[in-house]
Amino acid sequence: MTRGLITIVLFSLIGSPLAAQEAPSEPGPPSQAERQRNNAAKLAGLVAFVDASCADLKSDPDKFQMAVTRLGVDPDELTRGDLQLRAKAYTEIYQKDAEASCNRAAETFGASGKAIPGLIVRK
């Protein structure tokens, strides 16, 4: 009985490092470049939302392109693949409370906004 118990303990000790090696590693925090790509997708989602859902607001396309480029993202990347999907997801989130989102967009990105002044302008 003792011999069987020792065998079980030995196998569990031997198997533990193997199991630990096979387990997928935890993803680390996103890189600076990935955060900037995500911020570009947020901006694209916001701009699409404002242009479609805010009656008295619109985006400034030149300011948008400049902001995305400064983030290190080619604006064309936002029209395809993963970044396009992310942008659409953000647009949907903003649409959940359209009135509040329009107000926040005007406050944050309007003429006297704190983030990117002039990105969102009155029609």
Side-chain angles (χ1 to χ4, degrees), residues 87-115:
K88 284 183 179 184
Y90 282 113
T91 300
E92 290 174 11
I93 290 169
Y94 298 132
Q95 288 173 336
K96 289 183 179 182
D97 188 354
E99 184 177 342
S101 294
C102 288
N103 290 335
R104 252 183 278 126
E107 290 170 12
T108 308
F109 298 99
S112 59
K114 298 172 189 154

Side-chain angles (χ1 to χ4, degrees), residues 3-123:
R3 194 172 191 177
L5 185 58
I6 292 173
T7 304
I8 292 172
V9 170
L10 285 175
F11 276 118
S12 67
L13 290 174
I14 292 170
S16 294
L18 293 176
Q21 289 175 349
E22 293 173 11
S25 63
E26 292 291 319
S31 67
Q32 177 71 16
E34 187 57 30
R35 284 193 303 273
Q36 289 177 301
R37 288 173 53 81
N38 197 58
N39 286 337
K42 282 182 187 178
L43 284 176
L46 175 72
V47 163
F49 162 76
V50 166
D51 289 342
S53 301
C54 301
D56 60 335
L57 300 173
K58 66 177 184 170
S59 66
D60 178 333
D62 294 332
K63 188 80 86 165
F64 170 70
Q65 295 243 347
M66 183 179 65
V68 169
T69 301
R70 284 187 178 174
L71 287 170
V73 176
D74 179 354
D76 289 337
E77 287 185 68
L78 295 165
T79 63
R80 62 184 183 276
D82 181 49
L83 288 182
Q84 181 184 29
L85 295 175
R86 286 190 221 179
K88 284 183 179 184
Y90 282 113
T91 300
E92 290 174 11
I93 290 169
Y94 298 132
Q95 288 173 336
K96 289 183 179 182
D97 188 354
E99 184 177 342
S101 294
C102 288
N103 290 335
R104 252 183 278 126
E107 290 170 12
T108 308
F109 298 99
S112 59
K114 298 172 189 154
I116 304 171
L119 178 64
I120 304 299
V121 296
R122 300 270 173 208
K123 287 184 179 177

